[in-house]
Amino acid sequence: MIRFKSLLSSGLILCLTAVLQVSIVSGQPPLRLLFDDYYHKPRPEGQFGQGIARGDIELRNLSSFYSPEANAIPNGTFVISNLIADKFDTRITQQPISREMLKEADAYLLFCPIREEHGGRANLTEEDAIILDEFVTRGGILILVANSASDLESSSYDFTGLNRIGARFGVQFETVKTDTLSLPIPPNHPNFDGVSGMIFGSGTTLAVTESEGTQNTVLFESYNPKTPGPVAVVSHKGSGKVLYFGDGGTFGNAHMFRHDIGHAESVRQMLYSLLPDGPLPRYGWQEGTTLEVSVTQEQTMSGYPAHLRVFKLPMPEGTVVYSAGMREIDRAASSQSTTFESKDFASAVSLRSHTFELKIGAGDTLGNQATWHAEQGTMQTKLLPSGRIINPTLPDDPTLIQWQSHLVNELIAAPLKSYALTGEKWASPGFVALPHAQFSLSPKWIESASDYELVGESGWNGTACLLIRKVSRLDDSDWSPSDLIDDRYSALFNETNTRFLSGGLYTVAHYWISTETHLPVHTEIKMSATLWWTDPKFPGKYIGTHDNKNYENWENINLVVSFGRTLSADFKIKK
């Protein structure tokens, strides 16, 4: 039979997600993932609540320590199966492998199967391997997980059966013990984004050979010099994928709470990399392509200059101040008669633009080398398939120095999610530019997660495109007044003479990406920010009455300024 796993309530999923700092992804209906419980020891029903055997040692020896229903033991997969529930509907099956059973599955997981000689129901056969090969070739996802073993004879795990399956794809589990490893994840890894590593328990390594029609990719290798070799491999065959992983404990409940290294999110992203590609899986960077990139940015600041220190600071050449006197909405609400000059509402506007060239260099699965060109120099970077731009060199051009952060952090949508379908939403870390009262092209940037959505098809100037929307939100809790102005003027606007009361920003970016070339076509970004603060040049006033309650009050003057920013970029392929 196939037994449905009881799912967490949506509220508890969100609670766990907040604890683990893992983002929930929305999108299409989840794929059906069958979690095998047939190739294990048969167990009496009702004696293993929460994964804990209710009985003697013999009953305990029948436990399935990796079950999705085991939430009270460290190796149970209760947490991860729920953290991936938006993409994989995990169901426990107690049926042997068959073509009929797999008609009901999009993905199938064999987790440390037990040999018949050690109490398992059955060993995996060559026929099972043939059926799973067919399943993968037509588009299925297969996940094979083993654990450490000294040798085949003493191990209870069915290594022989697993390797019968692996032989169809050119991958074999080896009988070794790696010891517990920390697997670092480099920033340019094509399967991961915004995570630094995961824990690999004392598992086994993998041997990778060639197999006709199969492309094998090593995800991770052992860093133990005594047991070198791959520990995680993905095979592509036909329309499907296979993940081989050498340690079951990596998926266990206990490690999911290692938020210090982002373990849960790393495992989640590894499993999501098995999903079928969406319409925009990666950018189409091609060696030899040159893009002409025309960028325009307008920054604004609005308020009453007579009372705001920031309006007294120097602005860039070409800044225009537009004034219309006191706003009617403010005049109607004012109880004091003031002069026109002292209550002049103004908006300062700075407009700057430049055209760069982006030349795409040699590349591989980890990305392409790329060079940004301006009139007087260059900046070297690396372009990842996801759109991330990493490893920028120090530009040798003053214009590139000014625009560097925008070129690296804003102009190109990143990260793409390879599996994203129309309507997909995801959250990923990045950098957000703070407003700047002096309209610097090099403002302070704050690391923060942003929300993304693959909106769908949307043409731009006759080019068929896919549109991505990105939203970033920040409050002022981590801002300092001096973050908003140039360093040399920080004495005029700092914590001593300014105290922020509240504020924040909201930035919306839209990215049009060609459906034909998968290259960027157009970018539009809009930011709105407001800050409230107090200034000692407007000291608080004591207002009191003397009666039987002896009221005592302070009246404070709060100042406010609003910022706006728009940035647009057009990309054109140079012939």
Side-chain angles (χ1 to χ4, degrees):
M1 70 173 185
I2 294 177
R3 183 170 70 253
F4 284 79
K5 162 180 80 66
S6 59
L7 295 178
L8 288 169
S9 69
S10 59
L12 189 51
I13 289 177
L14 292 175
C15 178
L16 264 175
T17 298
V19 170
L20 297 171
Q21 297 182 337
V22 175
S23 60
I24 289 293
V25 181
S26 63
Q28 304 299 314
L31 303 182
R32 293 161 298 181
L33 169 62
L34 297 188
F35 193 110
D36 167 66
D37 191 34
Y38 176 81
Y39 296 95
H40 285 267
K41 299 175 182 178
R43 301 182 304 279
E45 293 288 337
Q47 295 296 310
F48 298 88
Q50 301 188 67
I52 302 299
R54 267 67 165 159
D56 56 23
I57 188 65
E58 291 187 8
L59 195 63
R60 190 169 182 81
N61 286 336
L62 299 178
S63 297
S64 178
F65 290 104
Y66 299 107
S67 171
E69 293 180 337
N71 59 309
I73 53 179
N75 281 0
T77 54
F78 171 79
V79 175
I80 188 60
S81 63
N82 280 283
L83 288 177
I84 64 171
D86 56 322
K87 289 299 176 189
F88 292 100
D89 177 13
T90 303
R91 310 177 185 192
I92 298 173
T93 176
Q94 291 182 347
Q95 292 186 23
I97 293 168
S98 69
R99 292 178 178 87
E100 191 66 26
M101 181 193 74
L102 290 174
K103 288 180 181 179
E104 304 299 319
D106 301 297
Y108 181 69
L109 171 59
L110 274 168
F111 209 114
C112 298
I114 303 297
R115 294 165 60 194
E116 189 173 6
E117 302 91 305
H118 285 258
R121 288 190 181 91
N123 292 331
L124 294 158
T125 67
E126 185 62 29
E127 179 64 16
D128 296 333
I130 293 171
I131 293 172
L132 290 175
D133 189 356
E134 295 171 354
F135 171 69
V136 171
T137 302
R138 68 172 182 264
I141 297 169
L142 175 62
I143 303 171
L144 304 177
V145 181
N147 229 327
S148 61
S150 299
D151 58 72
L152 288 176
E153 293 303 319
S154 62
S155 174
S156 63
Y157 300 127
D158 188 7
F159 275 87
T160 300
L162 286 173
N163 286 336
R164 284 194 179 104
I165 300 168
R168 313 288 300 188
F169 307 95
V171 180
Q172 298 283 282
F173 289 97
E174 300 181 307
T175 50
V176 299
K177 292 184 178 182
T178 62
D179 295 331
T180 298
L181 307 169
S182 176
L183 301 177
I185 300 176
N188 62 342
H189 200 299
N191 295 77
F192 300 90
D193 183 82
V195 291
S196 59
M198 71 170 66
I199 298 168
F200 185 89
S202 185
T204 184
T205 57
L206 300 159
V208 182
T209 61
E210 292 186 4
S211 178
E212 185 177 355
T214 302
Q215 178 186 349
N216 290 319
T217 302
V218 175
L219 291 184
F220 295 108
E221 294 197 48
S222 167
Y223 287 89
N224 184 345
K226 297 179 181 178
T227 54
V231 294
V233 174
V234 171
S235 295
H236 294 73
K237 188 171 186 179
S239 302
K241 300 176 184 178
V242 186
L243 170 66
Y244 313 83
F245 203 85
D247 174 55
T250 296
F251 299 87
N253 297 327
H255 285 151
M256 290 301 121
F257 293 92
R258 286 296 304 270
H259 58 78
D260 53 328
I261 63 169
H263 176 88
E265 176 64 4
S266 298
V267 175
R268 195 173 72 102
Q269 289 188 21
M270 179 173 66
L271 294 175
Y272 284 3
S273 71
L274 304 175
L275 294 167
D277 283 348
L280 191 61
R282 61 194 63 84
Y283 276 96
W285 311 126
Q286 295 289 334
E287 182 178 359
T289 302
T290 297
L291 296 174
E292 183 180 89
V293 187
S294 300
V295 189
T296 298
Q297 179 169 264
E298 181 182 87
Q299 298 182 79
T300 65
M301 180 172 63
S302 299
Y304 284 98
H307 306 312
L308 298 172
R309 293 174 182 266
V310 289
F311 271 92
K312 307 298 190 296
L313 298 172
M315 303 287 181
E317 182 179 353
T319 299
V320 179
V321 178
Y322 297 92
S323 176
M326 188 176 186
R327 297 188 309 165
E328 181 60 34
I329 189 174
D330 298 325
R331 185 183 296 111
S334 177
S335 61
Q336 302 176 2
S337 60
T338 57
T339 64
F340 174 85
E341 291 77 18
S342 66
K343 284 291 187 179
D344 202 17
F345 184 83
S347 295
V349 180
S350 175
L351 179 66
R352 279 174 284 189
S353 61
H354 202 84
T355 298
F356 303 91
E357 280 189 355
L358 176 59
K359 294 186 177 181
I360 313 300
D364 52 30
T365 57
L366 300 180
N368 287 73
Q369 299 300 321
T371 305
W372 290 90
H373 288 261
E375 288 80 359
Q376 301 178 41
T378 62
M379 175 178 68
Q380 309 296 322
T381 61
K382 187 166 188 178
L383 285 171
L384 305 189
S386 68
R388 294 282 195 196
I389 300 178
I390 64 172
N391 303 334
T393 61
L394 182 65
D396 52 8
D397 178 278
T399 302
L400 280 169
I401 291 173
Q402 287 186 315
W403 287 91
Q404 179 182 24
S405 294
H406 297 289
L407 300 180
V408 172
N409 295 316
E410 285 195 319
L411 263 59
I412 296 172
L416 301 183
K417 294 295 184 181
S418 61
Y419 55 81
L421 303 174
T422 297
E424 196 83 38
K425 296 180 180 179
W426 64 96
S428 286
F431 289 89
V432 180
L434 295 188
H436 198 273
Q438 294 181 268
F439 302 146
S440 172
L441 283 174
S442 304
K444 182 174 182 179
W445 292 76
I446 298 291
E447 188 171 8
S448 176
S450 296
D451 297 321
Y452 295 78
E453 179 182 5
L454 179 56
V455 178
E457 296 181 2
S458 176
W460 182 264
N461 285 347
T463 300
C465 295
L466 286 165
L467 177 62
I468 288 180
R469 183 174 187 260
K470 169 187 172 184
V471 177
S472 308
R473 306 171 183 84
L474 290 177
D475 62 40
D476 72 329
S477 57
D478 295 324
W479 304 1
S480 166
S482 56
D483 291 336
L484 276 62
I485 64 173
D486 294 341
D487 290 342
R488 53 185 165 168
Y489 301 106
S490 59
L492 303 177
F493 195 66
N494 55 33
E495 293 83 351
T496 301
N497 53 40
T498 306
R499 183 173 68 87
F500 285 172
L501 300 174
S502 188
L505 66 77
Y506 190 91
T507 302
V508 179
H510 289 92
Y511 300 92
W512 284 262
I513 303 169
S514 169
T515 57
E516 179 184 358
T517 65
H518 286 185
L519 292 174
V521 173
H522 182 72
T523 296
E524 285 187 359
I525 299 172
K526 288 187 176 182
M527 180 273 285
S528 176
T530 296
L531 280 169
W532 302 81
W533 71 81
T534 59
D535 191 311
K537 71 178 182 179
F538 297 102
K541 299 176 182 178
Y542 176 74
I543 302 173
T545 60
H546 188 71
D547 56 20
N548 62 328
K549 294 182 180 178
N550 193 25
Y551 289 111
E552 295 180 354
N553 299 290
W554 284 90
E555 180 183 80
N556 293 309
I557 295 177
N558 301 328
L559 305 177
V560 61
V561 66
S562 293
F563 300 91
R565 180 171 71 93
T566 62
L567 182 145
S568 65
D570 288 293
F571 299 79
K572 183 189 303 182
I573 299 176
K574 294 193 70 173
K575 304 299 183 182

